[in-house]
Amino acid sequence: MNLIKIGEIETPYEKIDDCPNNVSRNGEVCTLKLQDEYEEALLGLEQGQKILVLYWLDKAKRDVLTQSNVHKNNGEPVGTFSLRSPYRPNPIGASEVYIDNIDKNHVLVEGLDCLNGTALIDIKPV
């Protein structure tokens, strides 16, 4: 497998503790900053459209198979694949958000749950 970084995500979050635990429609404004050569790939996307953003959570632990979660199973351990936690064998983040604006190779969205500078790996329409 060979993933290609298509850009970076700009968020106000510098530390993991600053990140929200989930995506929020009314969260902070974030920018999907695509590398110049991928600007043309945004053709057809529109303001207000819902998209799926895929990103690589490079600071996440990759060896966690069970986790405790107060919102699931009364805090008893559950499998990583039953949670949105970033701690997983392949730390791929996936969030559905709406496009606020597109300006050349910059896509503004709200409420992503990742650190500033996170690698953007794909955008798909929902």
Side-chain angles (χ1 to χ4, degrees):
M1 278 192 293
N2 184 23
L3 290 176
I4 296 171
K5 176 180 166 181
I6 63 167
E8 287 189 351
I9 302 175
E10 295 178 352
T11 74
Y13 313 116
E14 297 297 333
K15 298 181 300 198
I16 291 175
D17 290 343
D18 296 339
C19 285
N21 288 333
N22 216 328
V23 177
S24 171
R25 175 68 175 118
N26 298 312
E28 299 288 336
V29 174
C30 304
T31 303
L32 310 178
K33 187 177 178 184
L34 279 74
Q35 294 172 9
D36 292 340
E37 62 265 30
Y38 297 111
E39 180 180 340
E40 190 176 1
L42 295 172
L43 288 173
L45 292 179
E46 299 176 353
Q47 182 177 354
Q49 183 176 0
K50 192 175 195 180
I51 57 174
L52 175 65
V53 180
L54 300 171
Y55 40 101
W56 188 260
L57 303 166
D58 67 318
K59 305 261 190 291
K61 296 176 188 174
R62 299 183 74 174
D63 60 352
V64 179
L65 300 181
T66 61
Q67 302 176 54
S68 296
N69 183 305
V70 294
H71 303 293
K72 217 172 185 162
N73 205 30
N74 296 320
E76 293 295 317
V78 295
T80 291
F81 298 142
S82 72
L83 300 170
R84 280 189 52 89
S85 168
Y87 304 130
R88 49 201 332 104
N90 288 306
I92 298 171
S95 298
E96 291 183 357
V97 292
Y98 292 90
I99 296 173
D100 287 343
N101 190 37
I102 300 174
D103 183 20
K104 297 184 181 176
N105 63 331
H106 292 73
V107 180
L108 270 60
V109 300
E110 291 178 21
L112 288 174
D113 57 352
C114 60
L115 294 174
N116 188 47
T118 295
L120 177 63
I121 57 175
D122 207 353
I123 300 170
K124 297 175 181 283
V126 173

